[in-house]
Amino acid sequence: MKKKLSKNEKISLSMKGRTLSKEHKLKLSKAKLGKKRTDTTRAKIKSTALGDRVKLKVNHPLIPKSSKSRSHLTAIDVKQIRDRYSNEEAVSIRQLAEEYRVSRHTIHSIVTYRVWK
C-alpha cells in the first residue's frame, strides 16, 4: 500500500533533477529586485548564510593598527562592525560596507574573522 503524498511532496518529486534555464533564472532575479524584507527575515537569512562555520563572539579583542598599515579601518572600527553585525538584527553586510566605504567582501572577512584575527 502506497503512502498518500501531500501536495508539497508531489511538487518536490516532480521538480527533482530539474535545472532552470538562463532565461528563467533571469526572470526570477528580476522579480525579486526591489523587494523589502522584514527584519526577522533578514535575521534568518543572516544566520543561515553564516551557518555553523562562524560563531559570533560577544567580546571582540582590540587589535592595534600598525603604523605602516594600508588599512582604511582602525581596530575600533573593526570592533564596532563585529558588534553591530552580531547584535543588531536589521544591519546587513551591504549597509556596513556602504557606511564604512569598503567592499562587502572586506566586511564579510572581518565578521567571519578571516582578517583582523
Side-chain angles (χ1 to χ4, degrees):
M1 190 165 147
K2 288 187 174 182
K3 177 186 163 193
K4 188 172 182 177
L5 298 176
S6 70
K7 180 181 174 183
N8 288 341
E9 290 171 331
K10 288 178 184 178
I11 292 171
S12 177
L13 282 174
S14 67
M15 300 294 277
K16 198 170 194 172
R18 179 176 169 231
T19 58
L20 301 177
S21 67
K22 288 184 181 180
E23 296 86 24
H24 191 90
K25 287 180 183 179
L26 232 169
K27 287 180 183 178
L28 287 173
S29 67
K30 284 182 181 178
K32 292 179 183 177
L33 282 179
K35 293 203 176 180
K36 300 288 181 188
R37 294 186 173 117
T38 63
D39 290 343
T40 54
T41 304
R42 291 173 73 190
K44 287 179 186 177
I45 292 170
K46 182 192 296 185
S47 66
T48 55
L50 289 177
D52 294 331
R53 296 176 300 160
V54 176
K55 300 290 183 197
L56 297 176
K57 298 176 184 176
V58 177
N59 295 325
H60 310 289
L62 273 180
I63 301 151
K65 180 180 174 183
S66 69
S67 60
K68 295 181 181 179
S69 174
R70 296 187 311 168
S71 175
H72 294 258
L73 301 171
T74 63
I76 295 170
D77 291 337
V78 171
K79 185 174 180 359
Q80 288 175 350
I81 288 169
R82 288 179 178 155
D83 285 340
R84 287 185 59 199
Y85 188 77
S86 60
N87 296 328
E88 295 178 23
E89 286 187 5
V91 72
S92 68
I93 289 177
R94 184 174 298 219
Q95 290 171 337
L96 290 170
E98 289 173 4
E99 185 178 326
Y100 287 95
R101 294 188 177 129
V102 293
S103 69
R104 288 179 292 160
H105 176 72
T106 302
I107 298 295
H108 184 267
S109 297
I110 289 170
V111 170
T112 56
Y113 291 87
R114 293 178 190 206
V115 295
W116 289 86
K117 295 179 183 183

